[in-house]
Amino acid sequence: MKTRPNILTIAGFDPSGGAGILADIKTMEQNGCIGMAVQTANTIQTGDKFLSCNWIDEAIVQAQLELLLSTYKFDVVKIGLVPNLKSLNQWLNICLTHYPALKIVWDPVLSASAGFNFQHNLDDLAETLALVDFITPNWEEAKILSGNEDAIIGAAELSKYCAVLLKGGHHPTQLGKDRLFLSEKTLNFNPKPYQCSPKHGSGCIFASALACNIAKGYPIHKSVLKSKRYIEAVLSSQTGLIGYHAP
């Protein structure tokens, strides 16, 4: 039996299982990887309601992180809900101290719907982007991170630091069209004609699938394409807000 890559997710806990570390672990299992998790927050939410975000003590987060990194070998780390960039940068440096060649995928959770206002310092952001390999913002997140009201231009600006996958779930005119910005080129990914419906946690799932495909050694273009097809399958799995994960 082929050994599965280990993937570490650093993210929040969503009791509905649609988003956060539960969704990450489901995705990793279905994509042929072993998922492990460090919990950054305990949220009170369902698929359509968000009541509160309760941050885990940062000493506990670091202790979880150090123990897992010193016990298991990880190929990729996926980042989700974090309290601020200063903490994130500290955790990323811990990861890279253990495994300098580690690949890091950051799905920036920045919206007020996550129960907090994410304030980022530009100096901290530059450090974060220098440490990660991929970021996977949606249109609004790309605007917030870049400070540019044009998400495409903003994503292109961010790509001078790392690869940027601009997700098209909130595309104003071409719903589902994703763009991958690399330092030297841009690749477009068009959606398949599935009967998709909105899903809670779709960003978490897409980024986790991407982490898996990178860990399995696929080139960038194929990693994104396979991850896109996976999230499309989840989006078309049923009409409710909590999608089904299936091979």
Side-chain angles (χ1 to χ4, degrees):
M1 183 178 293
K2 187 176 180 180
T3 301
R4 293 186 170 204
N6 293 327
I7 311 290
L8 177 62
T9 172
I10 303 174
F13 174 77
D14 166 17
S16 78
I21 57 178
L22 290 179
D24 294 341
I25 297 300
K26 294 176 188 178
T27 302
M28 292 166 187
E29 181 73 19
Q30 292 292 356
N31 281 271
C33 295
I34 295 175
M36 301 184 192
V38 168
Q39 183 178 340
T40 60
N42 191 15
T43 70
I44 301 175
Q45 65 176 305
T46 63
D48 61 354
K49 296 177 185 176
F50 195 105
L51 301 184
S52 67
C53 177
N54 306 282
W55 297 109
I56 303 298
D57 185 280
E58 293 197 16
I60 295 175
V61 174
Q62 184 167 332
Q64 289 181 331
L65 191 58
E66 291 279 11
L67 181 60
L68 287 175
L69 290 168
S70 62
T71 304
Y72 305 99
K73 181 185 182 301
F74 292 96
D75 298 276
V76 182
V77 169
K78 179 262 177 183
I79 309 292
L81 183 66
V82 295
N84 54 65
L85 288 179
K86 184 178 180 181
S87 297
L88 173 57
N89 292 343
Q90 179 181 342
W91 299 334
L92 291 177
N93 279 301
I94 291 172
C95 292
L96 291 168
T97 297
H98 282 268
Y99 298 108
L102 194 69
K103 299 295 183 184
I104 297 170
V105 177
W106 178 33
D107 180 38
V109 182
L110 309 180
S111 69
S113 64
F116 73 110
N117 292 318
F118 189 93
Q119 302 292 329
H120 67 276
N121 178 287
L122 291 179
D123 291 335
D124 289 337
L125 178 61
E127 180 183 344
T128 302
L129 296 178
L131 293 173
V132 305
D133 298 278
F134 280 87
I135 59 172
T136 60
N138 60 33
W139 278 61
E140 289 306 311
E141 291 161 349
K143 293 177 185 179
I144 294 171
L145 286 175
S146 67
N148 196 310
E149 282 303 307
D150 187 314
I152 293 178
I153 294 175
E157 292 171 348
L158 294 170
S159 70
K160 67 183 179 182
Y161 298 99
C162 63
V164 179
L165 177 60
L166 179 61
K167 298 174 294 191
H170 297 131
H171 194 298
T173 59
Q174 296 173 305
L175 191 64
K177 181 176 182 177
D178 304 323
R179 290 175 169 84
L180 175 63
F181 294 86
L182 305 172
S183 58
E184 71 282 2
K185 61 182 177 180
T186 302
L187 302 173
N188 295 314
F189 297 84
N190 293 314
K192 285 279 190 179
Y194 295 117
Q195 294 298 314
C196 295
S197 61
K199 293 290 179 290
H200 177 53
S202 56
C204 304
I205 296 167
F206 199 164
S208 294
L210 179 61
C212 291
N213 287 310
I214 292 170
K216 292 192 288 187
Y218 291 112
I220 290 177
H221 179 273
K222 191 169 184 179
S223 291
V224 173
L225 184 59
K226 288 177 70 67
S227 304
K228 182 172 182 60
R229 297 298 174 244
Y230 183 79
I231 186 56
E232 286 174 338
V234 174
L235 292 172
S236 62
S237 63
Q238 60 120 356
T239 57
L241 287 173
I242 307 296
Y244 300 155
H245 292 256

